[in-house]
Amino acid sequence: MMSPLNMLAPVNGSLDVINDNIPYFRCFDENVLAFIESLSNELLKNSEAKTYPELVALGFWLRKSNLKKMQSLSPTGVIKPLGWVVHFTPSNVDTMFIYSWICSLLMGNNNVIRVATKSSDIKDCLLNILNLLFAKPEFVQIGQHNLFVHYDKHSAYSAELSLICDVRVIWGGDDSVNAIRNLPCKPRCRDISFADRYSACVINGQQLTTENIPQLAESLWQDTQPHGQLACSSPRLVYWLGDSILQLELFRQLNQVAKQSGHKINSLNDHLVTSQLLKSTAKADAPIIQSAIGVIPVTEFDENWLDWHLGGGYFLLLPINSLEDIALLSSNKLQTLSYWGLEQDALIKFAQNPSIQGIDRVVPAGRALDFSSRWDGYNLFEQLSRSVEFS
C-alpha cells in the first residue's frame, strides 16, 4: 500500500487537477503579482510570522518593489510557461520551498511542491498563511493550481509526479538528487538540480581595524545564524588573506554577537566532536574559539571534512596568500564566496578565470543568504519558461 499523501495547502486541493488542459497564467500576470504582494504583506504584519527573521526576510523579498526589479531581469520577447513544475524541496532550510515556487509561479507555471516531512514551526506558520490567502475568492484559482504536499520520500508519489510533470526542481543532497533524476519522466521534462554545495567567506586582514570589526562581526553572524548555518550559502570556511593581527579579536566579537543574539551554546558538543575529528587529520590546530561559536585553524582544506560539520556557528579558518589560492583549493561544490575588504574589480577579474568550476555567487559579507532568481549558476526565470522565436 502506498504511504499517504497529505495536502498541506490549499486544504481542499487535489492532485486530480494535474493535466495538460488546465489553464496557465501569463508571465508576471497581474493576479499572480497581487497574490504575492498579499503574501508579502501578511508575512510582514502577521504577529507570529514577525517572530521569525526568516519569514520577515521572505516578506521583504516578496515586496512589490523587489518584484518589479525581478521583472526587469526576466527574459523578454514571447515568453510562455512550461506547464506543471514539481519542486522536491530540502529539509535543512525551512523557507526554501517558497523561493523556487515563487520564481515558477511568476513565469505562469502550475506547481506541486513536495515539502519535507520534518516538523518546523516556521514551515507551519508559512503554510497557515498560504491557506488563509488561498481561501480568498480572488486567489482560489491560484490555490487550485499550486499544491503543497508532503509524503514519505520513499513512497511512489515521486515516481508518479515525475511521469506527469514538465519540470522537476530538485533540492537536496547528491544522493537524493540522483534518486529523483533516475525516475522516468517525459522526454522533454527539464531537471533543475540543486545538489550538495558549501560556501566560504574571504576576509582581507589588511583592511581590518578596531573600528570596523564590530560591523564585520555582525555581517558574519547575519550570514550564519539563520537556518543554523545549514543553508548551502552560509559560510562554513573562512579564507584569511593578509595581516592576522586582529583575527582573534574579530572572532571574539563574532562570538559575543552570537551570545547577545540569544544563540544557545547547545552546539558546543557538536563543535567539540568536529574539532577532535579535524585534529585527528593532523591538519588542524586547537580551536581559537570554542564557545557560542567555534573557530578552528586548518593548514589545508578537504571538502569531505564538511560531512563532520553540523552547523551552529562553526568555522574552519584557512590562511591564503592570494585569491588564486581559492581557485586551486576549491571545486565545483563551492557555491557562494562572500567577501570583505576586497575591491569588486579584483573579484570580477578573479571570477573570470575559466578554470574555476565552482563559485556561482560573489556577494559582500552579510548578504550570503539573499536569494535571487539567479541561483547556483541558473537563471531561474529562463529555466522555468520557454521562448518563442519569430523570424
Side-chain angles (χ1 to χ4, degrees), residues 140-154:
V140 165
Q141 185 184 1
I142 292 176
Q144 288 173 339
H145 300 171
N146 290 276
L147 309 171
F148 292 79
V149 302
H150 75 192
Y151 56 81
D152 185 274
K153 69 177 184 181
H154 300 297

Side-chain angles (χ1 to χ4, degrees), residues 24-40:
Y24 300 99
F25 289 103
R26 292 179 180 275
C27 298
F28 283 86
D29 187 279
E30 290 296 327
N31 291 328
V32 169
L33 292 173
F35 169 79
I36 295 175
E37 189 176 348
S38 295
L39 176 57
S40 172

Side-chain angles (χ1 to χ4, degrees), residues 118-155:
K118 178 183 174 184
S119 62
S120 156
D121 292 340
I122 295 177
K123 181 177 68 179
D124 291 344
C125 177
L126 187 49
L127 288 167
N128 288 337
I129 289 173
L130 286 172
N131 272 318
L132 284 174
L133 294 175
F134 286 151
K136 293 186 175 183
E138 63 269 35
F139 301 136
V140 165
Q141 185 184 1
I142 292 176
Q144 288 173 339
H145 300 171
N146 290 276
L147 309 171
F148 292 79
V149 302
H150 75 192
Y151 56 81
D152 185 274
K153 69 177 184 181
H154 300 297
S155 86

